[in-house]
Amino acid sequence: MSLQSVPATPNNFAVWFNYAMGTSPALRKTIDILIGNKRKFDSAINHELYVTYVNPQSNAGTAAGDFPEQLQGVISTARQFLAAAISDNRTQIEALGEVSSQVETTSDPRSIIEKLVTELSKATTRASALEANFAETSHELDKIRDSLKLAEQRSNTDALTGLANRRSLDEFFRSALIAAMETGEPLSTLMIDIDHFKKFNDSFGHQVGDQVLRLVAKVMLDSVRDVDHAARYGGEELIAVLPGSDLAACAAVAERIRRRISEARLTRRATGEEISSVTVSVGVAQFRMAESAEALIERCDRALYQAKQSGRNRTVTETDIDGDVAAA
């Protein structure tokens, strides 16, 4: 911590203690990569390391707050079933022991056979009841599992557009940047801003504004790959992270999205009235080794700003900005 100039706070100490002990291979790998790339351990990185690898609960929501009680109920029921099964098993063993004793003292096998049949019938009935109870418990666990999956999905999804939200974007960025540093593969981002978005809200109402957002989000989602991550960044700004794509490939995707949106026709649902065409401005940037997600997004945002300043409805890459700076 001293060598990396990390402040000796309790949270930071917990991170580096786990690093030194090797309790989290993922934490060790992440810190080794950061050190290897001479990254500064600032407050943002220290916080992310803590909430990601040491205490994820400190950054978790309460979407699944009721599930522990449900699980406790299922576990309690299962324990009762097991206790009943153990008790029945003991009773059956004792009954079979009595039958075994009678074998040695009687010459008539009919009574022994009748008792064996009776005990086996009881055992079959108990086993059937136990199986039904466990099947019901298994069904309850399946419902809890599905509910947890749905809650997780909702906590990572923007309700209006169906895209990933900022929380999901931050998590994806963390893993994507580490993977890019490890493999040396390119990683690029594109940021979209809807041109004159306020005009749609002012002229047609917020419902039409929401409809415009959903249209742009759908085109964006349909235009990227399954391995990419499309998210709502905030307001009318959308962003996509493209692992394995260099600047040129990402710019091609951005231009395809821009063109498809400009060609789409939007009608007002209530009246069928055709709304003026929707256009977007797009900025594109590529990850540079060891930089933060914030730095990458900042360059992407600068390119987006240049696209809007240049007349909107266009795609601008970070090299276009660098070229402008060099020419000046």
Side-chain angles (χ1 to χ4, degrees):
M1 291 175 67
S2 177
L3 288 174
Q4 301 302 324
S5 301
V6 178
T9 65
N11 288 356
N12 290 344
F13 184 81
V15 169
W16 286 84
F17 178 79
N18 280 275
Y19 170 78
M21 296 297 293
T23 53
S24 172
L27 172 62
R28 177 176 285 274
K29 181 183 293 185
T30 301
I31 289 180
D32 286 343
I33 290 173
L34 293 172
I35 292 174
N37 288 294
K38 296 181 171 54
R39 281 292 306 277
K40 180 181 178 182
F41 287 84
D42 56 24
S43 59
I45 287 180
N46 291 331
H47 174 71
E48 290 299 328
L49 290 173
Y50 178 75
V51 300
T52 302
Y53 299 108
V54 178
N55 188 18
Q57 290 80 7
S58 64
N59 214 30
T62 59
D66 295 333
F67 294 126
E69 293 185 6
Q70 296 180 33
L71 284 172
Q72 286 293 342
V74 172
I75 291 172
S76 176
T77 302
R79 283 176 175 170
Q80 292 175 10
F81 292 158
L82 286 173
I86 292 171
S87 176
D88 288 343
N89 189 49
R90 287 173 179 167
T91 301
Q92 185 180 1
I93 291 173
E94 292 173 358
L96 290 175
E98 293 176 2
V99 173
S100 177
S101 300
Q102 290 178 14
V103 170
E104 300 174 358
T105 60
T106 183
S107 58
D108 185 6
R110 285 178 298 180
S111 62
I112 298 175
I113 293 173
E114 289 175 359
K115 192 159 188 178
L116 278 174
V117 170
T118 301
E119 291 302 325
L120 289 174
S121 177
K122 290 179 180 178
T124 301
T125 302
R126 288 193 294 262
S128 297
L130 187 62
E131 183 179 2
N133 288 332
F134 271 110
E136 183 178 352
T137 302
S138 178
H139 180 64
E140 289 298 319
L141 286 171
D142 287 340
K143 289 198 298 185
I144 292 175
R145 180 192 61 194
D146 292 342
S147 297
L148 282 169
K149 185 176 180 180
L150 181 60
E152 181 181 7
Q153 183 180 0
R154 286 175 176 170
S155 70
N156 289 324
T157 303
D158 175 67
L160 175 62
T161 63
L163 299 176
N165 58 18
R166 283 291 294 274
R167 174 189 173 188
S168 176
L169 175 67
D170 292 342
E171 292 176 355
F172 185 85
F173 248 131
R174 278 196 293 268
S175 59
L177 294 183
I178 291 173
M181 288 189 288
E182 285 184 325
T183 64
E185 291 289 320
L187 172 73
S188 300
T189 63
L190 62 90
M191 183 176 287
I192 294 175
D193 186 90
I194 301 173
D195 297 331
H196 304 295
F197 182 70
K198 187 174 183 296
K199 178 187 70 175
F200 292 104
N201 285 328
D202 293 344
S203 302
F204 303 101
H206 288 283
Q207 287 186 338
V208 171
D210 291 347
Q211 192 177 345
V212 170
L213 262 172
R214 282 192 287 265
L215 167 69
V216 175
K218 184 179 186 308
V219 173
M220 183 182 186
L221 198 58
D222 291 343
S223 301
V224 298
R225 306 163 300 175
D226 291 340
V227 297
D228 301 329
H229 200 71
R232 185 179 182 185
Y233 191 68
E236 66 271 24
E237 285 189 336
L238 311 178
I239 190 171
V241 184
L242 281 63
S245 296
D246 59 16
L247 189 69
C250 188
V253 173
E255 185 60 17
R256 183 164 65 247
I257 294 171
R258 184 202 64 78
R259 187 176 63 253
R260 288 179 177 175
I261 292 172
S262 67
E263 294 171 351
R265 290 295 173 263
L266 195 66
T267 57
R268 196 172 186 177
R269 291 175 179 173
T271 62
E273 170 191 1
E274 185 170 311
I275 300 171
S276 59
S277 61
V278 181
T279 64
V280 297
S281 300
V282 193
V284 183
Q286 182 173 335
F287 172 65
R288 298 174 183 176
M289 183 60 70
E291 75 174 338
S292 65
E294 290 76 14
L296 174 59
I297 292 174
E298 191 274 333
R299 284 203 321 284
C300 201
D301 190 53
R302 284 174 53 209
L304 172 60
Y305 178 78
Q306 182 63 34
K308 297 182 80 68
Q309 290 295 106
S310 302
R312 296 182 170 83
N313 191 23
R314 65 192 63 209
T315 299
V316 172
T317 70
E318 61 177 326
T319 55
D320 298 323
I321 299 175
D322 294 339
D324 291 342
V325 173

